[in-house]
Amino acid sequence: GPPPAPTPPPVLARAPVSKEKPPEDPLVKKVQEAQEKGIKFLKDQLKDEGGGRWSWDDATLGSLQKGGPSCLAMLGLMESGVKPADEILARGWKYVRSLEPENTYVVSLQTQVFCKANQKEDADRIKRNVKWLEDAAVRNGGQFEGWTYVKGGARADHSNTRFAVAALHAAHKAGFKVSSERIWE
């Protein structure tokens, strides 16, 4: 005789889902408030140095790491959601773009600022900084050891190395490649 008719599978129905929003997490609000205070603080620290130059540099740290405080402030603001075209950041661009590579910390921060802002006019600066960081890497006996404060330094340290790796990673994510894969090894 004919094969038995297939039995249809059982129908499954999901239980109704509550459409209520979950309660707000008080930590989220505290973090947002702290972030807003931080943004306001950093914006308030920008100084008019005359001649159309604005910076966050101070007499002490600015003299040791020229441009470092400014790059760090700009990166912090952008990481907190401030857009590159924001009025305060717009004032800092001229100075940050004028910095020439001199030491690992500042070159690394400047590179991250340029990559975060994603401005076409900074592409050559990013390439220049990536090359500088590649050339500044400390090698002993051909063995890569990391980075130190300036190009030509003899002893690498973890802090400078961390900053350089962060900059090279930001550049890599932005589409700028290091010329030597040995850096990543």
Side-chain angles (χ1 to χ4, degrees):
T7 306
V11 176
L12 299 176
R14 296 186 184 264
V17 177
S18 172
K19 293 186 180 183
E20 294 179 27
K21 288 185 177 180
E24 285 190 30
D25 183 347
L27 182 59
V28 171
K29 186 174 181 179
K30 287 181 181 179
V31 168
Q32 288 172 337
E33 289 171 356
Q35 191 173 33
E36 288 169 10
K37 286 180 184 176
I39 289 170
K40 181 181 179 339
F41 174 81
L42 284 175
K43 285 184 170 187
D44 289 346
Q45 299 306 304
L46 182 65
K47 297 182 293 287
D48 182 353
E49 306 211 1
R53 181 179 146 186
W54 294 78
S55 85
W56 283 267
D57 287 9
D58 63 22
T60 305
L61 191 55
S63 66
L64 296 172
Q65 302 283 336
K66 181 183 172 196
S70 293
C71 291
L72 188 58
M74 290 185 72
L75 183 60
L77 287 167
M78 285 189 289
E79 287 290 343
S80 296
V82 177
K83 302 293 182 210
D86 179 86
E87 176 186 344
I88 297 296
L89 288 179
R91 292 178 187 166
W93 279 115
K94 181 178 180 182
Y95 176 58
V96 168
R97 286 182 172 131
S98 75
L99 298 170
E100 293 295 323
E102 292 179 17
N103 65 65
T104 303
Y105 283 124
V106 179
V107 172
S108 298
L109 287 166
Q110 183 190 47
T111 303
Q112 291 175 78
V113 167
F114 292 152
C115 291
K116 183 72 178 172
N118 194 26
Q119 304 291 311
K120 192 174 189 175
E121 67 186 282
D122 295 319
D124 288 338
R125 291 179 184 96
I126 295 169
K127 289 176 192 173
R128 172 201 69 192
N129 287 359
V130 167
K131 173 85 170 101
W132 190 93
L133 289 167
E134 287 179 306
D135 294 344
V138 175
R139 289 185 172 76
N140 284 320
Q143 180 69 29
F144 172 78
E145 291 187 357
W147 283 266
T148 190
Y149 293 92
V150 294
K151 190 186 291 188
R155 187 177 69 78
D157 71 71
H158 297 303
S159 181
N160 278 286
T161 298
R162 182 258 177 257
F163 273 76
V165 169
L168 292 173
H169 182 255
H172 177 79
K173 283 179 30 182
F176 297 88
K177 307 299 180 211
V178 294
S179 62
S180 170
E181 287 302 315
R182 288 182 11 185
I183 295 285
W184 294 126
E185 291 172 10

